[in-house]
Amino acid sequence: MDSLCIKKIPFELINTELSGQFTMHMWISFIAGIIIAFPYILWEFWSFIKPALKERERKNAKGFIFFSTILFLMGVLFSYYMIVPMTINFLGGYEVSAGDVKNLIAMDSYIDTLTTLTLASGIIFELPIVVYFLSQFGIMSPAFMRKYRKHAIVIILIVAAVITPSSDITTQLVVAFPLYVLYELSIFVSKYVVNRKAKSN
């Protein structure tokens, strides 16, 4: 289980700019600030669009901030403790020719990889929320998602293979399983929205 968290970097980090470490420190603080302030950012976004919605639409979107925040934080934690360590361990320890080329990774490259994967995972975990609103507007339906479930599984496996460059199938499945669960949850959410709209009509 030690590989499931960032404890030891399998390469040496280097800084090539005078203000590099200070800049990266500020950048990390900025990203951490976005993650911590995510509920407030959603609340501001909701406050902006709320006046344009009808009363029924407001009720339908009840719990938007809570569930969006939970899913986002789940995605961030999943990436930080699962995806990022596996990616770094593989790419950082990869060698074209054993012992001939030493990995000296620029600090900004390492931080960019970490923050990109973490934020991207948080956004991907918002899939059920996106499907909820698409279903609300009649763009998405549970029948459509069931019909293309096999296609979705293939895409999920491809995404998992890209995110985790390791050739270990177990590692890819560890990443693919939560994504598949999100897809199935999205089908359930879409079905709930469609059934509720049918009853109201």
Side-chain angles (χ1 to χ4, degrees):
M1 297 296 291
D2 289 342
S3 63
L4 299 186
C5 56
I6 304 173
K7 290 187 176 180
K8 185 178 180 181
I9 302 175
F11 48 79
E12 185 177 348
L13 285 177
I14 61 172
N15 174 46
T16 59
E17 299 180 10
L18 180 62
S19 61
Q21 296 199 41
F22 175 77
T23 303
M24 283 299 103
H25 199 167
M26 296 298 293
W27 176 246
I28 293 173
S29 299
F30 175 73
I31 297 298
I34 291 178
I35 295 173
I36 294 173
F38 188 74
Y40 177 74
I41 295 173
L42 284 179
W43 182 80
E44 286 288 351
F45 176 75
W46 175 247
S47 299
F48 176 75
I49 65 173
K50 186 177 180 180
L53 300 178
K54 298 179 181 178
E55 185 63 28
R56 178 182 173 184
E57 293 172 333
R58 295 178 186 177
K59 291 181 179 179
N60 291 339
K62 188 177 181 180
F64 163 72
I65 296 176
F66 175 77
F67 289 110
S68 296
T69 301
I70 294 298
L71 288 171
F72 179 77
L73 292 179
M74 286 175 60
V76 167
L77 292 174
F78 176 72
S79 177
Y80 185 79
Y81 286 103
M82 296 287 289
I83 298 176
V84 170
M86 289 185 293
T87 302
I88 290 175
N89 286 333
F90 175 78
L91 295 178
Y94 185 83
E95 295 179 332
V96 175
S97 179
D100 292 339
V101 181
K102 185 177 181 180
N103 286 329
L104 297 174
I105 309 299
M107 182 176 58
D108 57 348
S109 175
Y110 169 77
I111 297 300
D112 286 344
T113 300
L114 190 152
T115 54
T116 300
L117 287 175
T118 301
L119 291 179
S121 179
I123 294 172
I124 290 174
F125 268 61
E126 296 292 332
L127 177 63
I129 302 297
V130 174
V131 170
Y132 175 87
F133 284 103
L134 291 178
S135 300
Q136 193 71 40
F137 294 115
I139 300 175
M140 188 67 69
S141 69
F144 176 85
M145 297 186 72
R146 291 194 191 98
K147 179 180 179 181
Y148 291 97
R149 179 186 276 120
K150 294 180 179 179
H151 300 76
I153 292 175
V154 173
I155 294 174
I156 288 172
L157 291 174
I158 293 174
V159 171
V162 172
I163 293 177
T164 57
S166 173
S167 58
D168 182 13
I169 186 65
T170 303
T171 301
Q172 295 178 10
L173 291 177
V174 166
V175 175
F177 180 73
L179 299 180
Y180 176 72
V181 171
L182 280 175
Y183 187 82
E184 291 295 333
L185 177 61
S186 298
I187 295 178
F188 175 79
V189 169
S190 182
K191 181 180 178 181
Y192 169 77
V193 173
V194 170
N195 289 341
R196 188 177 62 182
K197 289 176 65 177
K199 289 180 180 179
S200 63
N201 293 333

